[in-house]
Amino acid sequence: MDWCDPSVLVSEWCWAAHRDRSGHHHRTAQSTARNRRWTALAAFEEAARLGAPIDAWALAGERIARPVGFVSARPLSDEEAHRVRVFADCGGVASRRSLLVAFSFAGGSASEVAAVRTTDVDLAAAAVAFSGPAARDGLLDGWGVETVERYFRNNPPAAAEDLLCVTSAVRPDRAAHSVSVRLGRVLRDAGLSGRPGVSARSIRLTAAHRILLADGIEAAARFLGSPSLDSTAAALNYDWKQRGV
């Protein structure tokens, strides 16, 4: 392969070693390399959508296999989703954990949920505006609307721009991690954390899977804010090329 091939540079970046705080270099895990390639692919697909004359998949290079024994996140069953809603409400009136679950069921990723502000929520429209590269409106289900209404009733926001899901004590670069950890605690309290394929990401995939069944893969991709039908289909274990969109 020509060393000037851009996909070679992408591959080198995917597998580049990382350095810890003491200055020591460590080999990149296969899962990390895979996530980096997915990030590159998403960026290339967005550039192509905006008009760049590129082949996103060719630039991203060959797929990186999942690590042996890896089980990807899956949507929750109806019973599991019910348990998540029940145990999300176990906190006190000032607890934010039910908000995390409500916004996750509305399609928000951990970073998007962490960035939600009071002004982003429109209860009349049952919607929450997610910001960032995949800015869009997520739809709150009935339970989500009741949950957010109850939180606002018990915890009137001090300012319209207040973040809803993280406090000012959480560093911005740790906000998404904070959301993921607390969603994980909800799953643990619900007795689901040990089940194969269940992770914090499963919550948003649950709603996306329902949209997939009702409206197709393109609608599910829009719901998740994903520029890639392939990535969306893979996340939902759906062979859209065989079944059609």
Side-chain angles (χ1 to χ4, degrees):
M1 182 178 290
D2 189 337
W3 68 271
C4 291
D5 185 339
S7 66
V8 174
L9 299 178
V10 173
S11 179
E12 290 180 351
W13 173 70
C14 290
W15 290 101
H18 65 278
R19 187 171 60 183
D20 61 25
R21 294 181 178 178
S22 63
H24 295 101
H25 285 80
H26 299 272
R27 180 180 178 182
T28 295
Q30 189 169 340
S31 58
T32 300
R34 180 181 170 84
N35 289 338
R36 288 176 179 175
R37 181 189 176 275
W38 183 90
T39 300
L41 176 61
F44 292 147
E45 287 188 326
E46 180 65 13
R49 187 186 68 81
L50 294 174
I54 59 174
D55 182 333
W57 283 84
L59 285 175
E62 295 183 1
R63 290 177 181 269
I64 298 174
R66 290 189 175 97
V68 176
F70 174 83
V71 179
S72 58
R74 62 165 174 83
L76 302 172
S77 67
D78 290 344
E79 178 267 337
E80 290 169 338
H82 173 70
R83 290 184 64 83
V84 166
R85 290 185 174 95
V86 169
F87 283 88
D89 283 331
C90 288
V93 294
S95 172
R96 302 169 190 248
R97 58 189 268 160
S98 58
L99 291 181
L100 307 182
V101 174
F103 296 149
S104 294
F105 273 125
S109 65
S111 59
E112 290 169 338
V113 169
V116 172
R117 298 178 183 275
T118 304
T119 52
D120 294 327
V121 178
D122 184 346
L123 289 175
V128 53
F130 296 124
S131 58
R136 67 201 184 283
D137 286 341
L139 293 180
L140 294 163
D141 58 21
W143 176 86
V145 171
E146 292 177 3
T147 292
V148 179
E149 283 181 336
R150 182 169 61 252
Y151 181 83
F152 282 167
R153 187 166 56 248
N154 292 312
N155 304 276
E161 291 299 315
D162 281 355
L163 290 171
L164 287 175
C165 297
V166 295
T167 67
S168 58
V170 178
R171 288 176 8 209
D173 63 326
R174 301 291 293 172
H177 177 71
S178 171
V179 169
S180 293
V181 168
R182 285 181 288 156
L183 286 174
R185 289 173 183 163
V186 174
L187 294 172
R188 180 197 64 197
D189 292 346
L192 304 177
S193 59
R195 297 188 183 183
V198 172
S199 72
R201 189 164 172 253
S202 296
I203 299 173
R204 67 192 299 253
L205 292 181
T206 301
H209 187 254
R210 290 175 181 163
I211 289 175
L212 166 69
L213 296 179
D215 302 311
I217 189 65
E218 292 182 346
R222 288 193 296 271
F223 176 80
L224 292 174
S226 172
S228 169
L229 295 184
D230 288 287
S231 296
T232 301
L236 298 175
N237 193 28
Y238 180 78
D239 190 349
W240 70 277
K241 292 183 178 178
Q242 291 295 324
R243 305 184 193 183
V245 298

